[in-house]
Amino acid sequence: MRDAEANQPNKGPWLAMDTATAAMSVAVVQDGRLLGKIESRAERNHSLYLVPHIQQLLADCGLRPADLAGFAVGQGPGSYTGVRIGVTVAKTMAWTLKRPALAVSSLEAIALGASDRLLGLELEAGGETAEAPLPESAASGRQDREASYEAEAAGTSGAKTGGDAADWPAAERVWYVPLMDARRGQVYTGLFERGPGGWRRLAEDRIVLFERWLDELAERLAEADEPPAALCLTGEADAYAEPAGRLAASSWGGRLVPLAHDVHAYEVGRLAERLAARGADGSDVHSLVPNYTQLAEAEVNLLAKTGGAKR
């Protein structure tokens, strides 16, 4: 790609990354297509492997950094250190190359990826839409989940939890609840919907006691003018499927679908491309900051000592 082309805003491939969890992911995305990705599980070692993974991925895709149109990064919530690493690398590369950098919710990326899997969709490299049914067990081990995601990218088929693909038409309204463990009975979470009106956010990212979140979800389901046909728990869904089962037994009457799913940079890139298409330019890279949803424990302790902590 010529440098003149690379300097056109939002034209060309985007480099996407997410380091908010133990699953470190980098991908090259263009027009919603996955051109390449590298993923690993290197908790507490993201600072060692992120840049080498980026270098390897660009080489595999035959790209130079100057060929990139922009950078997309998951801004959390999640691991404080992990989120900072991804945001810092994205900002540094964007500032150096004078490219835009856009941050998206890591929780939304999880929810979007789970939605594609539930609906049996996967946008393959080259832009083809292929069937990508779920693995036989939506509550399988983490290695099985990663293997199933790789199978999806290759367009393989398999059994679908909760019914055949025909049971999940795009016209059905489904709520997606991404979950990350935030310790002490708390979760990082949000709420998204996919249905006749497309994809939309229903609740902001937050940290909340899981039991309180269940009560709030039950209220939302009871009060919804158009309740969803299904509610999909995703992210670290395995640990929360059993206590959440009472939602399915409530007066709502819909289906509860636990679907464990890691954050993937492919969805981060897709979300950033959508933002760019809506006019977000990402030119002020210094304004890009992590979303912790709360202060780190060390910061809380420091503020408490100086009398500045807010309760």
Side-chain angles (χ1 to χ4, degrees):
M1 181 183 293
R2 297 187 303 272
D3 287 341
E5 288 179 310
N7 286 328
Q8 295 180 31
N10 306 329
K11 299 294 184 181
W14 283 65
L15 177 66
M17 64 195 78
D18 195 289
T19 55
T21 69
M24 182 173 64
S25 179
V26 294
V28 175
V29 180
Q30 183 171 2
D31 299 327
R33 304 171 185 175
L34 175 63
L35 303 186
K37 65 185 176 74
I38 295 179
E39 300 182 326
S40 65
R41 301 195 64 82
E43 193 168 11
R44 301 184 186 280
N45 285 302
H46 292 340
S47 60
L48 297 178
Y49 298 113
L50 179 57
V51 171
H53 279 10
I54 289 172
Q55 293 171 329
Q56 182 62 55
L57 177 60
L58 292 179
D60 291 345
C61 293
L63 296 171
R64 301 167 299 159
D67 295 330
L68 297 170
F71 297 85
V73 61
Q75 66 179 149
S79 161
Y80 296 116
T81 301
V83 171
R84 283 196 292 268
I85 291 167
V87 168
T88 299
V89 169
K91 290 174 66 172
T92 301
M93 294 188 72
W95 181 83
T96 302
L97 296 167
K98 296 180 173 56
R99 298 291 190 271
L102 294 175
V104 304
S105 163
S106 299
L107 289 170
E108 184 171 5
I110 290 173
L112 180 63
S115 177
D116 284 349
R117 290 179 61 193
L118 193 64
L119 293 176
L121 302 174
E122 177 68 30
L123 298 178
E124 291 184 321
E128 296 297 323
T129 300
E131 288 290 333
L134 293 179
E136 188 166 331
S137 170
S140 59
R142 184 172 296 277
Q143 288 185 342
D144 292 336
R145 296 200 299 273
E146 290 304 309
S148 71
Y149 189 85
E150 295 295 334
E152 288 164 21
T156 58
S157 61
K160 192 176 189 71
T161 299
D164 295 330
D167 291 340
W168 303 95
E172 275 198 334
R173 194 180 307 277
V174 180
W175 286 5
Y176 295 89
V177 182
L179 298 168
M180 291 184 193
D181 180 26
R183 298 187 298 178
R184 302 185 182 93
Q186 301 175 109
V187 291
Y188 296 116
T189 190
L191 183 61
F192 304 86
E193 178 186 88
R194 196 172 202 171
W199 179 262
R200 63 172 180 152
R201 177 187 285 276
L202 299 181
E204 293 302 314
D205 294 352
R206 60 193 290 199
I207 182 171
V208 63
L209 287 168
F210 182 63
E211 288 296 323
R212 184 180 299 171
W213 183 224
L214 282 182
D215 292 339
E216 183 176 326
L217 287 172
E219 291 177 7
R220 285 176 174 268
L221 289 167
E223 296 172 359
D225 294 332
E226 297 181 85
L231 187 147
C232 176
L233 294 180
T234 188
E236 298 178 32
D238 296 353
Y240 302 100
E242 185 174 347
R246 67 173 186 256
L247 291 174
S250 68
S251 58
W252 161 53
R255 283 181 286 183
L256 182 70
V257 183
L259 175 57
H261 188 75
D262 283 330
V263 61
H264 294 278
Y266 173 40
E267 282 80 34
V268 170
R270 288 167 60 198
L271 288 169
E273 283 192 324
R274 291 183 186 183
L275 289 177
R278 293 170 186 165
D281 64 12
S283 59
D284 183 10
V285 297
H286 298 298
S287 66
L288 194 159
V289 295
N291 175 23
Y292 299 125
T293 70
Q294 68 174 5
L295 293 176
E297 186 173 353
E299 294 169 316
V300 171
N301 292 338
L302 178 61
L303 287 173
K305 290 179 180 179
T306 59
K310 295 181 180 180
R311 301 293 181 184

